Amino acid sequence: MLDRIAKGLEAQFEKHRIVFWYDPTREFREAFEGLALDGVEKIEVANTEFAVKHRILREAPKRRFLLYREGSRPADIDNWLLDVELANGVFKTDQVAIWLSDLGLPLKFEDLVREHQEFFRSSRRLEKLKTIIRGDDTRPALRLRMLGVCVSADGGFDTVVEALLAELAAGRDDSLRLIDRVGLDGFLWDQMARIFGYRADKPSVGDFSITLFKSCYQTAVGGEPILTSDALVFFRRWKNNRNAGDVFAKLSADYAEVLDVAGDLAKRDFRTLIEIDYFEEVDRAIIRALVHELSAQTVAQADVLAWIRRRRQSHWYGSYRDLYEAIGFAAEFQQAMAQVTLGMTSLAEGVQRYAKSWFRIDQLYRKFVWHMQKSGQATLMRELSEQVENHYVNSYLLRLNDAWQVHVDVAESWSAPPIPSQRSFYREHVGEFRRRDQKICVIISDALRYEIAEELLGRIRSLDRYEAEIEPMFGSLPSYTQLGMASLLPNGDLQIADNDTATVLVNGQSSQGLENRRKILATGRVGDRAAALKTEELMGMDKDRARALIRDHDVVYVYHNLIDAIGDKQISEERVFEAAEDAIEEIVRLVKKLNGANAANMIVTADHGFIYQHRPIEESDFSSAQVEGDTILFRDRRFILGHGLKGNHGLRRFTPDQANLQGSMEILIPKSINRLRRQGSGSRFVHGGATLQEIVVPVMKINKKRQSDTSAVEVEIIGSSNQMITSSQISVRFYQITAVTEKTQPRRLRAGIYAQSGELISDSHELVFDLRSDNPREREVSVRFLLSRQADAFNDQEVILKLEERHGETSHFREYRTARYRLKRSFSNDFDF
């Protein structure tokens, strides 16, 4: 007690030279006598007013005095020290006075403190309030700070409401009960009515929360709002607050059924819902509609992609990302199929056209299937999946390779000049670097199909300081691993062993296994030091060992096997597209690992590609042709090896000479995309044949620059004609100056309208500028801002539209762009939208 009295008196003496202390109950004499205040003279007033007055005004006019009087304060007419008291301060020793003194609050707040004494009885609450009160606080402002203390929120009324909603979602009401106990409940609901327009006979946080969701949803679908525009601004900010995401999701799920959102959505066109994300059911309704419309091909691809891009801002996008991605790729697939022409005049033209554009259809199909599988919503996607599958297999894969087969059938030898053959890889591509005396690392990824490598190309190019380019190579036939891997080694004499193993010999030596490949690599350019190792071995090396590997060798072959390892097994072949995604990630890490070990030049290539159909293979996809020959030594889904083989209407025969191989092994290849029946092996993922997907092999050359070459797109604010805000909302257009490319990357920004004091007076929007269109008009983004009630205080003043960019993964933002407007609103109607 003595300490608190001393602190209270010290606070008084900071403002006054003379302090009066009345002790009406005569209970503080002991405290008075025990006090020792630096620089303060204590005097008891007991019928000694004139002597005291002479002492404090004449004898020591600059000294500080504490004047103590036991008993009640005399009436003004009898108070001979009244003039001194009025010019200085009075210290009261009841609990309310102590609290006022402790907080440094003037006497005008006495009635407020008395009304809420329960609040101040907690030293923890008192200490917290002391840190946040300001000298110019009004009674409402002080009560608002007290509410903040009750709910442990820092900020304005919005943060108080957010905290109460968080407790509601958690099934607790601790803070609300405390608010009731300290007598702030009336103030809470008054503020709810004043700011948000919420009024109820029996107000509660739960009832307010339902009303809030209902009002905002009704406004979004064109109905009459129940609450004020400030409620909508609060709702949007709260919904977009990362820290409140789980609370919003919980309450939204609770109220979707209460408000019969599903029933209401069933009556609406999905196009009117694109901007709404207040309930998860909205995303479900949009996705169901897009799947149906896309399957029926009644919507334009550009519209679908635009809708999906806008849904990326949805609170629920993360939960449905794979469904949206699958729908987007299906739309692009449909567009590509509508525009494709599958004719060719030669093998070379077929390869060139595949590498230039046709591969994209395989890529879109793969991306669609992968995201559909990842979504786990096979039933929902069935209609669209069947449509994409039928178009891919019957209208593209079969038609393309039937047209290609015409040229395969008449080819006298397996070559397509000027497309380089796979057998020339070491001489042409590795030799290109070695002739300049440059080290070269080659990554060979088993079954890295051209279209997968093209996606990898984009990933590599998007890395800072990395350059990459890709070109096609004409794969060896049959397109199976052992021959493809052998073709990438230095080779002169290349033949398939005359037995049932399908082993490939390079200059008479087996190329099977890592050790044999090391030996063959050593026979390359005279004086070259060569190494061969698996990805796992390289990734397991520390930096010093990896650098030593590059330092001590001129040619390094790194073997990567993920796609073929997964796809070439019946039990796992349906996961081949998942393996393709993982392979891209692994190769990116591999490239970075090699570069970190001082490898400046790298090539990524493959042994062969593959064909894949997601749906089970139908009977018509198997070749009906009879396999005939003197000796059948090796049989697979897509090729036969033996002697005295006979070609027919369903099988194309190649002699060793025609396949550019040595030895005597003959080859049979099923025509187009047909498979041969083989017990116990997969049939959806196959290779070994002569389709474009199997034999167009990627060669990607990668090197690292010394200087940074990536940047983010620039964004401008397109000025309105009069730069004036005259209503409670404003629509602003933003322009992404350049299209997103591998080296020009997307930019994420936060947008809002602020007073010059820095106070946010509108809702806030998280914007992603990732548009790839070359058409400038398609890179404009329109955003509608809704002003809050706080904006009223800044009418007829200049306000600022700010674009801000997050600093890394932190919670801090830097200013990116601004535009200034004059706020010139009339207040005749709060609901002018």
Side-chain angles (χ1 to χ4, degrees):
M1 176 64 79
L2 190 61
D3 287 343
R4 177 158 289 185
I5 290 173
K7 287 181 179 179
L9 285 167
E10 287 171 357
Q12 288 287 330
F13 279 113
E14 288 178 4
K15 304 172 187 175
H16 308 291
R17 183 175 73 88
I18 301 168
V19 176
F20 287 77
W21 182 2
Y22 297 103
D23 185 6
T25 59
R26 296 174 171 82
E27 59 180 310
F28 291 103
R29 171 171 288 282
E30 186 177 343
F32 171 71
E33 292 174 349
L35 274 173
L37 301 174
D38 290 341
V40 176
E41 182 178 330
K42 298 187 299 180
I43 299 177
E44 182 178 356
V45 181
N47 297 320
T48 55
E49 285 85 352
F50 288 109
V52 169
K53 201 167 198 177
H54 188 269
R55 170 67 181 154
I56 63 178
L57 297 180
R58 295 291 187 183
E59 294 179 5
K62 294 185 178 180
R63 189 172 178 80
R64 294 188 299 173
F65 292 92
L66 174 61
L67 306 184
Y68 172 81
R69 178 172 182 148
E70 197 172 67
S72 300
R73 178 180 178 276
D76 287 351
I77 197 169
D78 298 323
N79 189 351
W80 298 103
L81 294 174
L82 179 60
D83 56 337
V84 180
E85 179 185 317
L86 292 174
N88 290 277
V90 177
F91 176 67
K92 295 187 177 181
T93 50
D94 69 320
Q95 190 62 62
V96 170
I98 292 173
W99 288 331
L100 284 169
S101 177
D102 202 11
L103 291 167
L105 292 172
L107 281 174
K108 67 179 182 180
F109 285 98
E110 181 178 355
D111 57 340
L112 184 151
V113 175
R114 290 193 184 281
E115 182 182 347
H116 304 292
Q117 289 186 56
E118 183 63 28
F119 176 92
F120 297 96
R121 289 195 176 98
S122 164
S123 59
R124 183 190 62 80
R125 291 195 291 270
L126 196 66
E127 290 302 316
K128 177 61 178 176
L129 184 62
K130 190 189 300 184
T131 64
I132 59 176
I133 58 174
R134 291 168 46 181
D136 59 350
D137 276 344
T138 61
R139 281 178 170 80
L142 183 59
R143 284 192 172 97
L144 180 56
R145 298 191 193 283
M146 292 164 65
L147 273 180
V149 171
C150 287
V151 301
S152 300
D154 295 322
F157 189 65
D158 284 8
T159 63
V160 172
V161 179
E162 286 185 14
L164 292 175
L165 291 174
E167 282 202 351
L168 176 67
R172 297 187 291 107
D173 62 353
D174 304 18
S175 296
L176 193 62
R177 284 190 287 109
L178 175 59
I179 290 170
D180 288 342
R181 196 168 75 245
V182 302
L184 286 168
D185 51 320
F187 176 75
L188 170 67
W189 299 118
D190 285 346
Q191 295 302 299
M192 285 286 202
R194 185 181 70 85
I195 297 174
F196 296 146
Y198 170 71
R199 296 172 178 86
D201 293 336
K202 294 182 178 180
S204 69
V205 177
D207 183 64
F208 164 75
S209 184
I210 294 175
T211 306
L212 178 66
F213 273 87
K214 183 177 181 179
S215 177
C216 294
Y217 177 71
Q218 283 187 188
T219 304
V221 296
E224 287 296 320
I226 302 169
L227 303 179
T228 65
S229 57
D230 264 30
L232 180 56
V233 173
F234 163 78
F235 184 78
R236 289 179 177 176
R237 289 183 188 170
W238 172 57
K239 173 180 67 68
N240 296 329
N241 183 344
R242 289 184 177 185
N243 297 327
D246 291 342
V247 173
F248 170 78
K250 170 68 168 60
L251 296 178
S252 175
D254 290 345
Y255 304 150
E257 185 173 350
V258 174
L259 300 175
D260 189 25
V261 172
D264 183 76
L265 292 172
K267 298 178 288 187
R268 301 186 183 278
D269 188 314
F270 76 93
R271 295 166 183 81
T272 66
L273 307 174
I274 296 299
E275 303 294 340
I276 304 171
D277 67 339
Y278 303 159
F279 297 97
E280 188 173 3
E281 189 59 39
V282 174
D283 281 88
R284 293 173 180 155
I286 290 172
I287 288 168
R288 284 193 294 265
L290 285 176
V291 169
H292 176 72
E293 298 279 350
L294 205 54
S295 301
Q297 298 191 37
T298 54
V299 284
Q301 175 251 4
D303 289 339
V304 173
L305 296 181
W307 292 329
I308 291 173
R309 187 167 57 248
R310 283 151 70 185
R311 290 310 294 173
R312 289 180 187 172
Q313 308 304 316
S314 164
H315 181 87
W316 316 99
Y317 181 77
S319 302
Y320 296 99
R321 179 188 303 274
D322 287 300
L323 285 171
Y324 280 121
E325 290 283 347
I327 292 167
F329 283 118
E332 289 190 74
F333 173 84
Q334 286 184 351
Q335 181 77 0
M337 287 297 300
Q339 297 174 346
V340 72
T341 303
L342 298 177
M344 69 203 82
T345 59
S346 66
L347 293 177
E349 186 189 357
V351 173
Q352 289 165 341
R353 294 190 66 183
Y354 183 83
K356 183 178 180 180
S357 62
W358 292 338
F359 77 87
R360 180 65 176 156
I361 295 178
D362 290 303
Q363 193 176 73
L364 292 170
Y365 171 74
R366 172 175 60 83
K367 300 296 285 187
F368 167 77
V369 171
W370 157 233
H371 285 288
M372 183 195 66
Q373 288 178 313
K374 197 177 175 190
S375 75
Q377 298 292 331
T379 301
L380 171 65
M381 298 293 285
R382 180 179 294 125
E383 183 181 11
L384 184 57
S385 177
E386 289 178 353
Q387 193 245 43
V388 170
E389 188 76 27
N390 287 336
H391 276 281
Y392 176 73
V393 176
N394 298 322
S395 302
Y396 168 70
L397 191 62
L398 181 60
R399 281 182 53 212
L400 172 64
N401 285 295
D402 280 353
W404 168 254
Q405 188 64 44
V406 171
H407 301 284
V408 173
D409 285 343
V410 299
E412 295 183 0
S413 66
W414 188 244
S415 62
I419 309 298
S421 70
Q422 192 176 28
R423 281 194 63 175
S424 68
F425 171 80
Y426 193 91
R427 181 181 69 252
E428 297 297 328
H429 296 292
V430 176
E432 173 189 344
F433 291 94
R434 294 308 302 136
R435 285 188 289 273
R436 297 197 297 260
D437 202 29
Q438 294 176 327
K439 294 177 181 288
I440 179 65
C441 293
V442 178
I443 300 169
I444 303 172
S445 184
D446 203 325
L448 185 73
R449 191 160 72 170
Y450 189 89
E451 55 90 3
I452 302 172
E454 197 277 341
E455 183 180 348
L456 172 64
L457 176 74
R459 285 291 308 278
I460 296 295
R461 283 178 171 172
S462 70
L463 299 175
D464 192 24
R465 296 188 294 156
Y466 280 86
E467 279 188 330
E469 59 184 28
I470 193 171
E471 60 183 90
M473 187 164 60
F474 199 59
S476 299
L477 201 66
S479 56
Y480 72 111
T481 298
Q482 291 198 48
L483 182 58
M485 292 295 185
S487 299
L488 297 170
L489 295 167
N491 61 79
D493 186 89
L494 195 65
Q495 63 177 298
I496 301 171
D498 196 2
N499 53 43
D500 61 0
T501 65
T503 300
V504 178
L505 307 178
V506 177
N507 300 327
Q509 179 177 331
S510 171
S511 62
Q512 190 168 6
L514 198 59
E515 190 55 42
N516 285 327
R517 291 173 191 170
R518 284 197 189 102
K519 293 177 182 177
I520 296 170
L521 274 174
T523 67
R525 187 168 177 260
V526 175
D528 278 355
R529 300 163 298 169
L533 68 164
K534 292 183 178 180
T535 292
E536 295 77 12
E537 183 181 352
L538 176 62
M539 296 304 290
M541 291 181 177
D542 60 27
K543 183 176 287 188
D544 290 340
R545 287 182 59 210
R547 286 181 173 177
L549 173 72
I550 304 303
R551 182 191 66 225
D552 298 339
H553 296 92
D554 304 304
V555 177
V556 176
Y557 269 42
V558 182
Y559 290 94
H560 176 261
N561 185 12
L562 184 56
I563 298 173
D564 201 69
I566 296 295
D568 215 18
K569 297 182 180 67
Q570 186 175 14
I571 194 172
S572 60
E573 65 176 349
E574 68 175 13
R575 290 171 34 223
V576 68
F577 288 166
E578 176 186 352
E581 297 287 330
D582 292 340
I584 290 172
E585 296 298 328
E586 283 193 7
I587 295 172
V588 169
R589 290 195 294 270
L590 196 53
V591 166
K592 290 180 177 179
K593 177 83 172 185
L594 287 168
N595 182 254
N598 297 325
N601 302 302
M602 290 162 272
I603 297 175
V604 178
T605 189
D607 49 351
H608 55 75
F610 61 88
I611 51 176
Y612 178 81
Q613 296 171 229
H614 180 61
R615 71 183 180 195
I617 300 303
E618 298 176 0
E619 185 64 26
S620 60
D621 292 319
F622 289 101
S623 175
S624 60
Q626 295 296 313
V627 177
E628 297 178 319
D630 298 337
T631 308
I632 308 296
L633 292 173
F634 189 89
R635 184 184 185 112
D636 207 335
R637 289 286 191 192
R638 291 284 291 159
F639 68 99
I640 299 288
L641 300 177
H643 298 299
L645 302 180
K646 294 179 174 57
N648 55 44
H649 69 280
L651 298 168
R652 166 70 207 267
R653 173 179 174 270
F654 287 88
T655 65
D657 285 343
Q658 288 175 318
N660 297 313
L661 298 172
Q662 286 69 47
S664 59
M665 191 70 77
E666 298 173 5
I667 306 160
L668 283 181
I669 303 290
K671 294 186 178 182
S672 190
I673 64 170
N674 290 326
R675 280 91 159 153
L676 297 169
R677 288 180 176 78
R678 186 181 177 217
Q679 192 68 29
S681 65
S683 57
R684 288 186 281 177
F685 171 93
V686 292
H687 59 87
T691 64
L692 283 161
Q693 287 79 4
E694 293 169 287
I695 59 87
V696 177
V697 175
V699 178
M700 187 191 312
K701 295 178 181 176
I702 304 168
N703 59 69
K704 186 84 176 283
K705 286 182 170 183
R706 294 185 179 274
Q707 294 183 331
S708 176
D709 64 351
T710 58
S711 61
V713 295
E714 296 294 338
V715 178
E716 288 183 347
I717 303 169
I718 301 177
S720 62
S721 58
N722 55 13
Q723 297 289 303
M724 195 82 71
I725 301 176
T726 58
S727 68
S728 64
Q729 64 175 337
I730 179 174
S731 184
V732 179
R733 287 183 300 142
F734 301 97
Y735 174 54
Q736 180 184 308
I737 297 175
T738 56
V740 166
T741 64
E742 288 95 344
K743 293 301 182 184
T744 308
Q745 298 173 354
R747 189 183 289 273
R748 293 177 177 270
L749 298 171
R750 182 177 71 179
I753 299 175
Y754 294 80
Q756 293 195 59
S757 61
E759 181 179 355
L760 178 64
I761 58 173
S762 75
D763 53 351
S764 181
H765 297 263
E766 297 283 341
L767 306 174
V768 180
F769 293 93
D770 59 354
L771 304 170
R772 296 180 176 273
S773 174
D774 291 327
N775 184 346
R777 295 299 300 273
E778 293 179 358
R779 297 199 303 273
E780 289 185 10
V781 176
S782 183
V783 178
R784 188 181 71 170
F785 294 91
L786 188 64
L787 297 181
S788 65
R789 183 182 294 267
Q790 285 93 326
D792 296 352
F794 305 98
N795 202 36
D796 206 26
Q797 295 182 27
E798 193 174 65
V799 295
I800 305 167
L801 169 63
K802 291 184 182 179
L803 283 176
E804 298 175 298
E805 189 166 33
R806 187 183 299 275
H807 179 68
E809 295 298 318
T810 71
S811 60
H812 300 281
F813 286 79
R814 68 171 182 86
E815 191 175 281
Y816 173 72
R817 289 273 192 280
T818 61
R820 295 181 178 272
Y821 295 81
R822 179 156 291 276
L823 188 58
K824 203 84 170 172
R825 296 172 62 199
S826 62
F827 303 107
S828 59
N829 184 6
D830 282 339
F831 303 106
D832 54 347
F833 53 87

